[in-house]
Amino acid sequence: MNKIIVGFFLISIVLISSCKTTKTILVKDMEADVAYQVKDIKPLEIQKGDRLSISISSKNPELAIPFNEGIGSYQVNNQGAIESAGTNATSTIGRGYLVSQSGRIDFPILGELQVMGMTLEDMKSYIQNQLIDKKYISDPIVKVELLNLKINVMGEVASVGTLDVPDGQMNLLEALSKAGGITRNAAADKVVVIREENGQRKMIVNNIESKEIFDSPVYHLKQNDIVYVTPKAAQLDSKQDLTFRYVSLGMGFVSVLLSVFTLIK
């Protein structure tokens, strides 16, 4: 009888302990008041499939009109100056310039431009030089932005989905935070980033519990990165989880009854 009681007691302890969860502590090996070297952020490079917003301005606004997408048609007035003829409701200003599979965009007046591999700053300088060298505008002000910077977050996070990055920068910890954080079943030492670069696809595994995460080549995310948080184990569905809870509760109750019975006896 005593062996049966001990057996029930041990089983109940195992079941109860298995229900316990541990909290993930980010970069738990960092020390307080210790300065760590911060790496420079490598600027994003333009990739095929990117959508770019490019705007041109000048001290003489009429000179910039033909180079700006979405302002509608333009015309020459009686004084010989170029001016906008109105806004086109079906313009592509909201869509920007799509970088083709060959890495090019079709830009007004300048024609086809090879832009893949350039940083946004490189492209800005390139267009400025083109406008000056070809004597279209002597003082061009060029602004280039990436419109469709998105990060896909999957796996053991609270909210699986695609994150928009309006300011053009997001790191791995920020992406996990915006996805609602990792779940209790997440393997914090196996946070994967899948990246396409130079025609190759790479998978890099990261440990967000270690300060080494800041030195990861994928800590600063790029467009089209896929973040996948690996599960610790296969999760039970809702029915299985409910059954497990009832069994745990029943085993604990039986163990208590047997212990009281033994004490009374």
Side-chain angles (χ1 to χ4, degrees):
M1 185 66 178
N2 287 337
K3 290 183 178 180
I4 295 174
I5 294 171
V6 171
F8 271 112
F9 185 68
L10 291 175
I11 291 172
S12 64
I13 289 175
V14 171
L15 290 172
I16 292 170
S17 63
S18 66
C19 294
K20 291 181 179 178
T21 58
T22 56
K23 277 195 170 184
T24 299
I25 302 175
L26 299 180
V27 292
K28 60 185 178 183
D29 55 354
M30 286 190 74
E31 298 179 20
D33 302 320
V34 175
Y36 296 90
Q37 187 68 34
V38 177
K39 287 189 173 182
D40 293 333
I41 302 175
K42 187 178 179 181
L44 292 176
E45 293 183 352
I46 298 169
Q47 301 178 6
K48 58 185 179 183
D50 284 349
R51 286 193 179 274
L52 304 170
S53 168
I54 305 171
S55 62
I56 311 293
S57 59
S58 168
K59 289 180 180 178
N60 297 316
E62 66 273 10
L63 295 179
I65 289 174
F67 299 95
N68 284 293
E69 192 179 38
I71 61 170
S73 58
Y74 54 91
Q75 61 189 13
V76 179
N77 63 21
N78 294 332
Q79 287 73 40
I82 300 173
E83 62 181 17
S84 173
T87 301
N88 183 357
T90 59
S91 72
T92 56
I93 192 169
R95 298 199 305 271
Y97 296 91
L98 177 65
V99 181
S100 69
Q101 293 299 304
S102 59
R104 296 180 172 88
I105 62 168
D106 191 12
F107 194 73
I109 312 299
L110 296 180
E112 236 184 14
L113 304 179
Q114 179 68 43
V115 298
M116 188 168 69
M118 289 185 181
T119 66
L120 298 181
E121 193 63 31
D122 289 340
M123 186 175 176
K124 172 184 169 181
S125 299
Y126 175 68
I127 293 176
Q128 280 179 329
N129 291 334
Q130 287 283 303
L131 294 173
I132 294 171
D133 293 345
K134 294 184 178 181
K135 302 186 185 304
Y136 289 123
I137 306 176
S138 61
D139 59 346
I141 300 171
V142 181
K143 183 179 180 181
V144 182
E145 293 179 316
L146 181 60
L147 294 177
N148 64 334
L149 179 52
K150 297 180 183 296
I151 306 296
N152 298 298
V153 185
M154 307 167 63
E156 293 297 325
V157 290
S159 179
V160 173
T162 302
L163 303 176
D164 291 318
V165 189
D167 59 356
Q169 288 185 5
M170 182 176 289
N171 62 51
L172 182 54
L173 298 183
E174 286 176 323
L176 295 176
S177 177
K178 286 183 177 292
I182 63 176
T183 69
R184 64 182 182 181
N185 192 44
D189 60 341
K190 294 179 181 177
V191 177
V192 173
V193 175
I194 300 172
R195 172 173 293 176
E196 289 186 26
E197 206 167 36
N198 301 322
Q200 297 180 326
R201 186 176 290 109
K202 296 179 181 178
M203 183 180 77
I204 300 174
V205 181
N206 305 273
N207 180 6
I208 61 173
E209 291 186 306
S210 170
K211 64 179 182 291
E212 292 179 0
I213 183 62
F214 298 115
D215 296 323
S216 170
V218 294
Y219 176 68
H220 294 287
L221 298 172
K222 294 185 176 182
Q223 62 268 50
N224 305 317
D225 278 353
I226 298 173
V227 178
Y228 177 72
V229 182
T230 307
K232 290 178 183 174
Q235 282 190 306
L236 302 175
D237 59 34
S238 57
K239 186 177 179 180
Q240 290 172 325
D241 186 57
L242 188 60
T243 302
F244 181 79
R245 289 174 184 272
Y246 282 142
V247 170
S248 300
L249 184 61
M251 293 296 293
F253 183 68
V254 170
S255 177
V256 170
L257 285 179
L258 289 173
S259 299
V260 171
F261 175 77
T262 302
L263 289 172
I264 293 174
K265 186 177 179 182

